[in-house]
Each structure stands twice: as C-alpha cells, then as structure tokens.
C-alpha cells in the first residue's frame, strides 16, 4: 500500500528519495510524487500517475535540488489514481506539503469546517484535508509546526503515517503515525524516514520504529525528538536492523516471485533453525514455552488472518485439532472484527500476518485483547505493528518478501504453525511420542524434498503455456490440501488475472461440477494420504465430463497418472506436511502462466503487499 520516504541531511535528497520509492514499489501503488525544499527556500512538489519511472521522467528537467524532502507512492483510496490526487499535497498557502499512508475517516466533517473558513481543495483526497487542517491550526493558534500537527491529529479519526515539510523551516522534518507503519533511520548527521526499512538499509542499520500516536521531529544536529500527539515526551528506542541489501535484489532471477519460490528450501531451514534441535527430536518455541499454561488451558483457539495467511491458518486448524485436540476456529480478520464475536479470557487468539501491518488483522487482535484473550502472532517482518501489540509470538524469519504474491512467507507460516501444534500436542499428551518424533524428523527433511519439487520447474513452465487460453480454473483438494487448493487458486488470480476458485474436492458435486467441460482446467491436489481414493473418484468424474486435469500426486503414483492430463510429483511425506510440498507446483504454475501472459508478476494490478487500510 502507500509508501513513504523522507530525508534530511547534507546530501542531495532527490536521488535518495527516488531510490527509496523504487524499494517500496513492491507494496503496490498507482501514482508517485516528491516534495523538496531547495536552497532558495522554495517548496517544489512533483507528481505523476503510474510508475516511479514516470515521476523520474517528469522530474528530469525540473529543479530537484535540496537536502530535505519527502516522497510517496500512492495506492488510491479516496479519489481516482491521477496526478491531482497523487501525494504530496500542498496546504492552502503552499507553505506546507504532506504525504500520507492510511485513511482519515472523518475527513468529510473536517473538510466542511475548513471550507467554511474559506479553504479550497484541489484533490478528492482525505490527505489534503489533513494538511489544510495543520496549516489552519498553525495560523489560527499561532503555534509551531510540531504543535499544529499534534493538535490536528487530536481531531483525526482513522489511520495515518504522515510526513510534512514546512518551507519556512527547511531544517525540520515532522512525521507521525497511527495504525500505519513508520521507521526512522539514523545516519551520520542525517535522518531517513520510511514505511519500512527497505529504503533505509543501504545507509544505516540504526532505526527507531515510531509507535501509534507519536510525532517525531527530525532536525540536523539534534537528537530525534518524539512526543505523543498529547505532547508527552517519549524516549526513542534505537534498534539494529537485521536486513541486508542483497535480500532486496533479484539475485539473477527474472522476478522476485521466482526467486522467493526457489528460496523456500533455505527459508524453511531458517524458520526451523534454533527451534528444531540438531538431533531432530524436539521443538522449542520460546513463545510457547513462556506461555505454556495459556495454551494448555485454552478451551478454544481462534485464528485470525487475511488472504494467504488465512489459508495457512486453515492448515493449522487441521494440525492443532489433530495433535492438540483443542477446538479451532479460523476467521477472516475483516469479518471477525465487526461481527461481535464471543471472546473469552481463556481463548488463545493466533494472528497470522506476513507484513505484520494488515489493518484488519491488527484491529481483530486489538478487539480480542480488549476482551482478555491471549494473543500469539506469527509474523515475518520484525518489529511490525502486529507482533508489537501481541502478548507473544513467533517470527518466521524468511527475509523480506518482495513479490506481492506471497510464497515463501506462506510455507514458513505453515511450518511455524505446525511446530506450535506439535508443541501443544506434546505438552498436553494428546499425541504419542512416536507420532511426535516421526513428524519432527520429517520436518527436517522438508527443505530437501522441496528442492526435488523445484527440479520440475522446467516441465511446469512448458505445460503452463498450454493453459494461457483459460478464462477460469478450478482447484480441488481435501483435508490438509483443501487450503492448498484455495491458495493455488489465489496465486493464479492475483498474478495472471485468470478467474480461479479453490474447493474441497467433495464439494464439486454440489455445484462446481456444472462448470466442467473441455475448456475447464482443473488442478487437483491428490497426494497419497487419507482421502486419496475419494479424490481419485473426483478426478474420474472430471474426466468423464472432458475436463482437463493437472494433478499433484505423490512420487510413484500409478492410478492418477493414468487418467490425468498432466502430473506433477511430490515426494512422500507425513500428511500434515504435504501442503509444504504440494503448494510449490501451484506457485510455479501460477508464475509461469502469468509470465507467458505478459503480466507484471511482482506488482500485479490493484494489489498491495501490505494492506494498511481496511
Ligand atoms: C497473498 O499472495 C496476498 N498478496 C494477500 O492475500 C496477503 O496474504 C494478505 O493481504 C495478508 O497479508 P499479511 O500476511 O501481510 O497480513
């Protein structure tokens, strides 16, 4: 979603800001802009619809001087994605310029009040209202910029990360956040500001994560000044970044998505490191050990997440109920937060989020927390909002996921949740020692087995070409592989724009079978486990109606290979771990279909990596 970059120091700000915007492109956006104060004290704002490259082209002949500036990639919420609505926005007198990530929910009321005072508006955005409100406060209450920002934000309902320049104070950059992320990077006599650490990492590894309702003032030669919007002084906590520049490069792959698919053997090893012991006979998750009683006494576990993370949650439901025998409910965060759910003090709520910033998931856990539930989060981005408001949790440690379509984060979430299910099951005594050991040992084999699946990339790429004609796809799976079917369908939708739906295989007869014809490709996830024979019957039903079947099967399968049109084999593994293998070909299939169709795989249209508005 929207990306924020800011710089104040001795260097030329423009190249740093533009590079920063490129680093944030993965978040998803539809326009971009930059504001700079030059030596003469002029505040220049430049904006363009489309990609950052179009902003650069627009700025080529412009004055881009100045060592203080802010820049933005906008993902449209209020007002269509055009140049006028792009950020930065000037205030009425053009003394201030603002960039904003989030939504000001009461913008209409605020705007009406300002219009009564004679303020005029050029854009349809909520953001322009905020900068006008700050200027109005500055002028009418005779206060400095920081105080005006504090007072304005006290009137705001909604979410924001903002950065503001004032051309009458070219030595100060003011920023604030509530609900949307913001990080300050501390260099030598210079400060950086960004929505996440990716634009900052090549300049410094010292960062401060700004908290909700905090206002930060950055001035050269002065310490970082942080207060709340109610002017309570806060002590900045400087953290060290664990991120390297190479993690943000494609490393020879044509797309980040393909790189991230291929990284999975390593990322899963990283996720298990220090948790699965070297003898591969025990799992130690500190977030579980420190809160064992909460899990053991839980009458119910509620899992809340969105999109791909929700699919990981569904897989966890199968594992937790099987191993720990605790009832599990899996909720879309967006529904959970508004449907007045019954939440008890002895409930454990597990929030799953790659980014750790998803607005609905954040709100869902805040609701659950207010009712006394214990919050455990599974997150990839260290220091993000969701882990910070959780009682405990487990980082997945897969490094930055840049491709908008989640791949390596998904498999790591499944691994983390499986480890948690095994920890609870063992501690509760609801699984046998033999079963526990078998699965823990097999977990250690998964990275090598994924490597074998990746070996089929070329073949998948070859037959993917056959399916670029398709307008629709159906994905089927059962048990642990029903969520995999949904995840495969989501991947295809997101990056190839082909309509695809995932169903539990047995549901096909209750409706989707009407769609089957020779035009309809059906991907069936059919590894050799539990309901295998029943899934084989489903494949026969599809073939009887001339559907084209791509089947994901266990190595050596003889039955399905005779009837399916295309076969992708995965190694044998424990049933609960099959999703870690069966999802890989589905990621590759979606990727190759999208590439052949000429789609923008890493930045699909309309999508955002980090959905910071509801
Ligand atoms: C995954 O491919 C999607 N881009 C999307 O569904 C994503 O999983 C969802 O928005 C949740 O994001 P989160 O894990 O960062 O909370």
């Amino acid at each position: 979603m929207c990306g924020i970059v800011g710089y104040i120091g001795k260097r030329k700000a423009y190249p740093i800001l533009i590079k920063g915007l490129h680093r944030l492109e993965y978040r998803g956006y539809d326009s971009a802009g930059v504001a700079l104060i030059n030596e003469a004290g002029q505040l220049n704002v430049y904006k363009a619809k489309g990609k950052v490259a179009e902003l650069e082209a627009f700025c080529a002949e412009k004055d881009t001087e100045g060592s203080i500036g802010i820049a933005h990639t906008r993902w449209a919420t209020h007002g269509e994605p055009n140049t006028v609505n792009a950020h930065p926005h000037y205030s009425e007198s053009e003394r201030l310029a603002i960039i904003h990530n989030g939504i000001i929910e009461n913008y209409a009321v605020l705007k009406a009040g300002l219009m009564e005072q004679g303020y005029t508006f050029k854009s349809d955005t909520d953001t322009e209202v905020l900068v006008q409100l700050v200027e109005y406060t500055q002028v009418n209450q005779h206060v400095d910029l920081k105080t005006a920002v504090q007072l304005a934000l006290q009137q705001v309902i909604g979410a924001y990360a903002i950065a503001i320049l004032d051309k009458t104070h070219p030595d100060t950059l003011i920023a604030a956040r509530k609900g949307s992320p913001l990080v300050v990077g501390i260099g030598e006599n210079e400060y950086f500001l960004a929505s996440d650490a990716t634009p900052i990492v090549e300049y410094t590894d010292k960062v401060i994560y700004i908290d909700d309702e905090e206002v930060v003032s950055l001035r050269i030669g002065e310490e970082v000044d942080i207060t709340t919007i109610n002017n309570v002084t806060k002590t900045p906590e400087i953290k060290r970044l664990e991120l390297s520049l190479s993690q943000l490069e494609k490393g020879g792959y044509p797309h980040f998505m393909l790189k991230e698919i291929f990284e999975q053997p390593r990322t899963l090893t990283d996720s298990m490191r220090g948790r699965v012991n070297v003898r591969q006979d025990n799992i130690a998750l500190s977030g579980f050990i420190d809160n064992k009683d909460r899990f053991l006494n839980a009458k119910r576990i509620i899992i809340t997440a969105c999109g791909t993370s929700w699919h990981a949650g569904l897989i966890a439901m199968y594992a937790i109920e099987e191993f720990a025998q605790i009832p599990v409910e899996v909720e879309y965060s967006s529904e959970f937060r508004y449907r007045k759910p019954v939440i008890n003090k002895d409930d454990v709520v597990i929030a799953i989020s790659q980014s750790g910033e998803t607005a609905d998931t954040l709100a869902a856990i805040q609701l659950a927390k207010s009712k006394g539930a214990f919050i455990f989060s599974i997150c990839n981005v260290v220091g993000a909002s969701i882990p910070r408001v959780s009682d405990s949790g487990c980082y997945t440690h897969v490094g930055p996921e840049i491709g908008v379509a989640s791949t390596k984060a998904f498999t790591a979430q499944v691994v983390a949740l499986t480890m948690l299910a095994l920890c609870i099951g063992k501690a509760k005594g609801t699984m046998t020692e033999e079963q526990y050991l078998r699965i823990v040992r097999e977990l250690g084999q998964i990275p090598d087995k994924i490597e074998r699946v990746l070996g089929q990339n070329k073949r998948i790429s070859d037959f993917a070409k056959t399916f670029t004609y398709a307008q629709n796809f159906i994905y089927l799976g059962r048990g642990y592989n029903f969520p995999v079917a949904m995840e495969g369908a989501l991947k295809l939708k997101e990056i190839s724009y082909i309509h695809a739906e995932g169903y539990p295989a047995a549901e096909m007869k209750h409706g989707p079978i009407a769609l089957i014809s020779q035009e309809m490709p059906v991907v069936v996830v059919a590894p050799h486990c539990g309901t295998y024979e029943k899934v084989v019957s489903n494949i026969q039903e599809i073939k009887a109606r001339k559907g084209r079947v791509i089947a994901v099967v266990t190595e050596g399968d003889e039955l399905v290979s005779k009837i399916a049109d295309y076969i992708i084999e995965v190694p044998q593994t424990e049933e609960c771990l099959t999703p870690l293998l069966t999802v890989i070909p589905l990621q590759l299939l979606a990727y190759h279909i999208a590439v052949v169709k000429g789609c923008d795989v890493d930045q699909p249209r309309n999508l955002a990596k980090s959905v910071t508005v509801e």
Side-chain angles (χ1 to χ4, degrees), residues 306-309 352-356 358 361 404-406 413 487 490-491 494 607-609 611:
C306 305
T308 287
S309 298
I352 312 169
S353 176
Q354 184 285 131
S355 62
T358 300
T361 305
V404 164
S406 189
Q413 288 166 346
E487 174 59 10
L490 179 65
K491 288 287 87 81
E494 283 188 295
L607 288 181
K609 183 70 185 164
V611 185

Side-chain angles (χ1 to χ4, degrees), residues 339-360:
R339 70 166 181 78
K340 302 188 180 57
V342 178
I343 305 165
N344 302 312
K345 289 199 166 43
D346 50 10
D347 286 336
V348 168
V349 172
I350 302 177
I352 312 169
S353 176
Q354 184 285 131
S355 62
E357 301 293 349
T358 300
D360 283 323

Side-chain angles (χ1 to χ4, degrees), residues 303-317 330-333 350-358 361 377-381 386 396 401 404-414 417 483 486-487 490-491 494 609 611:
I303 297 179
T304 185
C306 305
T308 287
S309 298
W310 185 78
H311 297 153
L314 279 180
I315 294 170
M317 175 179 77
V330 187
E331 301 265 4
Y332 283 118
S333 303
I350 302 177
I352 312 169
S353 176
Q354 184 285 131
S355 62
E357 301 293 349
T358 300
T361 305
S377 59
I378 307 278
C379 185
N380 187 38
V381 178
I386 288 173
T396 47
E401 189 180 65
V404 164
S406 189
T407 53
K408 64 176 180 176
F410 171 75
T411 46
Q413 288 166 346
V414 174
L417 289 157
M486 291 206 289
E487 174 59 10
L490 179 65
K491 288 287 87 81
E494 283 188 295
K609 183 70 185 164
V611 185

Side-chain angles (χ1 to χ4, degrees), residues 116-413:
E116 274 174 27
Q117 302 299 323
Y119 278 72
T120 54
F121 292 83
K122 298 184 183 69
S123 76
D124 303 319
T125 65
D126 50 340
T127 304
E128 192 183 9
V129 177
L130 184 53
V131 73
Q132 301 281 44
L133 184 62
V134 173
E135 180 170 296
Y136 175 77
T137 310
Q138 250 184 330
V139 172
N140 287 280
Q141 301 204 26
H142 309 289
V143 290
D144 62 12
L145 179 63
K146 185 176 111 179
T147 311
V149 169
Q150 288 171 325
L151 294 173
L153 291 178
Q154 285 172 20
Q155 299 175 58
V156 158
I157 299 171
Y160 53 80
I162 55 166
I164 301 194
L165 295 182
D166 179 343
K167 71 176 177 186
T168 64
H169 291 286
D171 57 348
T172 310
L173 176 51
I174 302 278
R177 82 156 258 178
K178 183 183 176 193
S180 298
L182 205 56
V183 189
V184 171
I186 305 167
E188 290 291 324
N189 271 322
E190 59 186 352
Y191 291 115
F192 305 85
L193 186 73
S195 296
D196 63 43
T198 55
I200 293 176
V201 64
E202 62 195 278
Y203 307 107
T204 179
D205 64 352
K206 284 195 281 179
V207 294
I208 299 168
Y209 294 98
I210 305 304
D211 266 323
D212 274 354
E213 301 202 332
E214 286 184 352
V215 179
V216 56
S217 176
L218 303 173
R219 291 165 70 103
I220 295 306
E222 291 184 16
E223 299 285 304
V224 176
D225 169 82
I226 301 181
T227 56
T228 66
I229 59 170
N230 296 313
N231 206 27
V232 177
T233 302
K234 301 296 277 290
T235 310
E237 204 184 320
I238 300 175
K239 299 248 163 83
R240 206 155 280 279
L241 271 184
E242 285 174 23
L243 182 68
S244 75
L245 210 48
S246 65
Q247 289 176 303
L248 305 177
E249 311 286 352
K250 286 190 196 144
Y253 287 90
H255 298 98
F256 281 108
M257 184 180 175
L258 191 62
K259 176 189 174 215
E260 288 159 5
I261 292 172
F262 272 81
E263 275 178 341
Q264 290 175 102
R266 183 186 56 73
T267 53
L268 293 193
T269 306
D270 290 346
S271 297
M272 288 186 266
R273 183 167 298 119
R275 291 162 172 172
V276 178
N277 67 354
V278 279
R279 289 189 309 279
Q280 295 195 352
D281 61 7
N282 195 39
I283 294 171
L285 282 185
S286 58
F288 168 76
I289 294 166
D290 298 344
N291 303 284
K292 207 178 196 168
D293 289 345
R294 293 302 303 239
F295 284 96
L296 298 190
N297 297 328
K299 301 264 179 314
R300 174 175 71 151
I301 291 178
I302 301 167
I303 297 179
T304 185
C306 305
T308 287
S309 298
W310 185 78
H311 297 153
L314 279 180
I315 294 170
M317 175 179 77
Y318 286 86
I320 295 172
E321 293 201 339
E322 181 179 353
F323 305 139
Q325 289 170 24
I326 300 172
V328 179
E329 290 164 23
V330 187
E331 301 265 4
Y332 283 118
S333 303
S334 53
E335 288 300 308
F336 182 68
R337 63 181 288 195
Y338 284 118
R339 70 166 181 78
K340 302 188 180 57
V342 178
I343 305 165
N344 302 312
K345 289 199 166 43
D346 50 10
D347 286 336
V348 168
V349 172
I350 302 177
I352 312 169
S353 176
Q354 184 285 131
S355 62
E357 301 293 349
T358 300
D360 283 323
T361 305
L362 190 55
I365 62 176
Q366 277 159 342
L367 170 72
K369 204 170 176 181
S370 72
K371 308 262 181 189
F374 176 75
I375 315 293
F376 186 93
S377 59
I378 307 278
C379 185
N380 187 38
V381 178
V382 176
S385 303
I386 288 173
R388 285 197 293 151
V389 300
S390 302
D391 296 305
S392 182
C394 171
Y395 282 114
T396 47
H397 295 306
V398 301
E401 189 180 65
I402 308 288
V404 164
S406 189
T407 53
K408 64 176 180 176
F410 171 75
T411 46
Q413 288 166 346

